[in-house]
Amino acid sequence: MKTYTLLLFIALFLAYSCVQDKHSKTIHFKINMKQIHNISNVGLRGDTAPLSWNETLLLTDEDGDSIYDGEIQLNSASYDIEFKFVNQDTIFELQDQPNRSIRFEYKPEKIIYEATFNNPNSEISKTK
């Protein structure tokens, strides 16, 4: 019985010690839609909450310049996030191309992600 208890204690200790700390991430997304026709319900879908591949997180264009933006906040021990922008709630950009991604550092971060719809190039800047 002592051996079993000792092994259980060691297993729990190892499992707990392998858990990484979560760090806060604030990501501000900006997507340029100027070259797109029939724009509506522009947003994001992705693999990490609050994003989902099943529901669109809508972005807004408050000043009417066809650049939609929005912000998410998450607490993550993950090293990246994958996502795509969508138009009309269901039309995914970059069909048959890899998802967009942002790699995280192992610390709290504030990130600005700027891109153009259907163009795989992007600009990522980090602020303090």
Side-chain angles (χ1 to χ4, degrees):
M1 185 69 175
K2 286 184 179 182
T3 303
Y4 175 75
T5 304
L6 179 61
L7 289 174
L8 180 61
F9 176 76
I10 291 170
L12 288 173
F13 175 77
L14 290 174
Y16 179 76
S17 65
C18 292
V19 175
Q20 293 181 332
D21 289 336
K22 293 181 178 182
H23 294 285
S24 65
K25 311 292 181 189
T26 300
I27 308 170
H28 189 93
F29 295 93
K30 292 183 177 186
I31 184 69
N32 184 330
M33 301 292 288
K34 291 179 180 177
Q35 303 300 318
I36 306 300
H37 302 287
N38 300 321
I39 301 170
S40 69
N41 295 321
V42 174
L44 287 165
R45 292 198 186 191
D47 69 349
T48 303
L51 300 180
S52 160
W53 290 117
N54 298 320
E55 290 185 40
T56 302
L57 178 73
L58 294 176
L59 303 176
T60 59
D61 179 15
E62 297 293 328
D63 59 5
D65 65 355
S66 296
I67 297 176
Y68 288 73
D69 65 330
E71 190 170 276
I72 64 170
Q73 295 182 350
L74 53 111
N75 252 349
S76 179
S78 177
Y79 68 92
D80 74 344
I81 185 173
E82 289 194 9
F83 60 95
K84 283 198 176 185
F85 292 101
V86 295
N87 184 25
Q88 299 177 22
D89 194 38
T90 57
I91 300 172
F92 285 77
E93 65 162 355
L94 304 173
Q95 290 292 317
D96 301 318
Q97 295 184 44
N99 296 330
R100 294 181 184 269
S101 67
I102 300 172
R103 293 231 169 193
F104 298 140
E105 295 179 43
Y106 192 64
K107 63 181 185 180
E109 295 179 281
K110 292 184 179 181
I111 300 166
I112 299 172
Y113 187 95
E114 298 180 74
T116 299
F117 197 83
N118 268 338
N119 181 334
N121 298 325
S122 63
E123 287 186 37
I124 300 173
S125 55
K126 298 184 179 186
T127 62
K128 295 182 179 185

